[in-house]
Every structure is written in structure tokens, then in C-alpha cells.
């Protein structure tokens, strides 16, 4: 996978398998961009693939729901999944120790507002999964209410101040297409069109003008700096 790839994804329904795969893809992509060595990238991939294994041991519903208004019993049951996942893997000698820590700490935050231990200091492997897991959870509704892609990007950016590692978030968002292929947009020149291709700039895709007829007029917004996207239609 090239370093300059832009990941083209949309908000989607919560599915544990898809979420796990996407968190792994995003985390390894971030690790590559940060020039993390091969052994650590392997450890990151293992931790990502196993990070939500604890969900199989809890009984409370966790898809597309707001846990901020859950009753204490449900909230306690939900928060157990990180500890249960770690405990299930603790004696597996083939799993790297940092990968196990990723399972335990993927819901922790740098300001101590996370769980289960309210820790503040983490290895880079854990910092990577914390941001990537939160981002994909927002757009899928895994363990939270699903929100649109652009709102998810905004939430992760807000988290730079207190919750997430700045370098990790900036690297992650440099790889996420702000306007996925298929998005219908209105541009600053008043033309309306559909995103058909990504460029190296996540906010500047190639847009096909709806009214261009057979000529198929396209705008490469990375090159045509005088035109920008005003809104999603």
C-alpha cells in the first residue's frame, strides 16, 4: 500500500468484523506513515485484530447507543470488555505484550478520562489504536451513536486538545477522504457534481460536473485552487 493513499470510506452500520478490519487498516497505515519499524507494525496489527475480543463476554447492547445515559449496571458491564479481553489473552505467550496492552487500553485517553484504569501515559502503539478505534466507532456506531463522516473528523480533531496524540490524529486525518467517492457536492463556482476520485489532498477530490454533458467536465480541486467545495448536497 503506497504512503500517499487516501482511504475512501463512509459511515456505515456497526459490524464487529468490519470495524476490526478497518481499525487494523487505519492503524497500520498510520504506523507506516510515522515510519514505525516492521516488528512494531506487526504488534500493532495483532493488537488491533484482537482489541474488541472482550465484547463477546458482555451481555449489554453496544451497537449505535449513547452510553452517557446508560444506567450504572449497563455501563459497568460494557466497560468490563477491555479487562475481559485482556484477561482472555494474558497467558497466550505468542501475543506480544504491547498488543495485549492495546486490548486493555484502547478506550483510555491522554487526559485520564478513559477506562478501565483512567491512565494518561501510553506507548505509541496504544496511542495509535485509541485514535483509530474512536474514529471508526463514530462512523459505524460501534459503542456510540453513529455520526456522519465529517462530524467524526471534527470530533477527532477536537480530541487533539486533551484525548488523543496530536501526531497520530494529524497523520490519520491526512489519510481520510473528507468527501468519499459518490458524495454529491456544490462548488464555489456554483457547479454541482459528484466526487469520482481522490487526490493526495483528502479535502480536494476530483469532481465530475453534473451538467457537463458528454464532455464529462471534471474539476481536480487539488490543482484548481480557485475552486473549492461549498457544501454536501
Amino acid at each position: 500500500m503506497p504512503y500517499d493513499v487516501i482511504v475512501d470510506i463512509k459511515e456505515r452500520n456497526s459490524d464487529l468484523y468490519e470495524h476490526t478490519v478497518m481499525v487494523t487498516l487505519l492503524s497500520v497505515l498510520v504506523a507506516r506513515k510515522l515510519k514505525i519499524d516492521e516488528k512494531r507494525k506487526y504488534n500493532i496489527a495483532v493488537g488491533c485484530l484482537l482489541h474488541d475480543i472482550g465484547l463477546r463476554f458482555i451481555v449489554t447492547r453496544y451497537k449505535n447507543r449513547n452510553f452517557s445515559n446508560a444506567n450504572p449496571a449497563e455501563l459497568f458491564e460494557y466497560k468490563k470488555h477491555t479487562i475481559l479481553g485482556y484477561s482472555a489473552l494474558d497467558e497466550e505467550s505468542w501475543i506480544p505484550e504491547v498488543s495485549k496492552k492495546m486490548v486493555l487500553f484502547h478506550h483510555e485517553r491522554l487526559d485520564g478520562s478513559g477506562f478501565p484504569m483512567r491512565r494518561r501515559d501510553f506507548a505509541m502503539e496504544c496511542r495509535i489504536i485509541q485514535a483509530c478505534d474512536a474514529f471508526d466507532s463514530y462512523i459505524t456506531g460501534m459503542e456510540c451513536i453513529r455520526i456522519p463522516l465529517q462530524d467524526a473528523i471534527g470530533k477527532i480533531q477536537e480530541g487533539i486538545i486533551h484525548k488523543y496524540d496530536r501526531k497520530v490524529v494529524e497523520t490519520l486525518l491526512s489519510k481520510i477522504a473528507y468527501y468519499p467517492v459518490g458524495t454529491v457536492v456544490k462548488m464555489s463556482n456554483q457547479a454541482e457534481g459528484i466526487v469520482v476520485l481522490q487526490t493526495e489532498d483528502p479535502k480536494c477530490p476530483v469532481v465530475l460536473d453534473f451538467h457537463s454533458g458528454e464532455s464529462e467536465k471534471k474539476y481536480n480541486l487539488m490543482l484548481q485552487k480557485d475552486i473549492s467545495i461549498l457544501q454536501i448536497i
Side-chain angles (χ1 to χ4, degrees):
M1 183 181 293
Y3 288 106
D4 59 355
V5 67
I6 299 298
V7 181
D8 193 282
I9 57 178
K10 292 184 179 180
E11 59 268 21
R12 59 192 191 278
N13 291 329
S14 52
D15 176 89
L16 184 55
Y17 173 79
E18 288 186 15
H19 171 66
T20 300
V21 171
M22 186 55 68
V23 170
T24 304
L25 185 154
L26 293 175
S27 297
V28 172
L29 188 60
V30 168
R32 289 184 64 178
K33 183 68 174 177
L34 293 176
K35 299 185 179 350
I36 289 176
D37 65 63
E38 292 298 320
K39 182 178 179 181
R40 293 180 71 189
K41 280 189 288 188
Y42 170 83
N43 295 344
I44 288 170
V46 172
C48 289
L49 290 171
L50 296 171
H51 80 279
D52 268 338
I53 191 172
L55 290 176
R56 65 180 294 187
F57 303 120
I58 65 173
V59 295
T60 191
R61 181 175 62 86
Y62 56 83
K63 293 184 178 182
N64 201 34
R65 68 169 300 180
N66 183 1
F67 277 100
S68 66
N69 58 18
N71 67 58
E74 282 189 303
L75 187 59
F76 177 76
E77 174 72 10
Y78 160 67
K79 287 186 174 182
K80 287 193 307 185
H81 81 272
T82 54
I83 297 174
L84 294 173
Y86 177 80
S87 298
L89 304 174
D90 190 31
E91 295 185 3
E92 298 294 331
S93 60
W94 66 272
I95 301 175
E97 286 302 312
V98 73
S99 303
K100 298 175 186 177
K101 294 293 178 61
M102 290 171 66
V103 175
L104 182 62
F105 295 148
H106 68 276
H107 280 294
E108 296 282 10
R109 300 294 180 255
L110 298 183
D111 62 357
S113 64
F115 65 89
M117 301 170 67
R118 301 180 70 86
R119 284 188 48 165
R120 296 171 180 264
D121 184 42
F122 309 97
M124 180 56 74
E125 290 87 343
C126 296
R127 292 173 180 237
I128 289 173
I129 194 174
Q130 286 163 3
C132 293
D133 174 65
F135 173 75
D136 196 68
S137 294
Y138 284 136
I139 63 172
T140 59
M142 283 292 294
E143 307 165 56
C144 63
I145 296 295
R146 185 178 63 179
I147 59 178
L149 172 65
Q150 289 74 27
D151 293 347
I153 291 173
K155 292 274 281 186
I156 292 296
Q157 287 174 324
E158 290 172 10
I160 288 176
I161 301 174
H162 302 295
K163 296 182 178 181
Y164 310 112
D165 184 283
R166 175 179 293 276
K167 186 185 296 185
V168 170
V169 170
E170 290 176 349
T171 303
L172 170 65
L173 296 185
S174 73
K175 303 288 103 183
I176 302 296
Y178 197 83
Y179 304 101
V181 168
T183 303
V184 179
V185 298
K186 182 176 182 178
M187 292 175 286
S188 57
N189 63 352
Q190 301 305 307
E192 296 179 356
I194 185 168
V195 175
V196 294
L197 187 68
Q198 301 300 334
T199 67
E200 294 179 18
D201 186 329
K203 288 190 175 182
C204 297
V206 176
V207 180
L208 173 65
D209 191 329
F210 274 153
H211 307 295
S212 59
E214 294 182 2
S215 61
E216 289 195 354
K217 185 174 183 179
K218 294 179 182 178
Y219 298 91
N220 185 329
L221 302 186
M222 188 178 76
L223 302 178
Q224 296 173 265
K225 299 297 186 180
D226 58 325
I227 303 175
S228 60
I229 293 176
L230 287 179
Q231 65 186 71
I232 297 173
I233 300 176

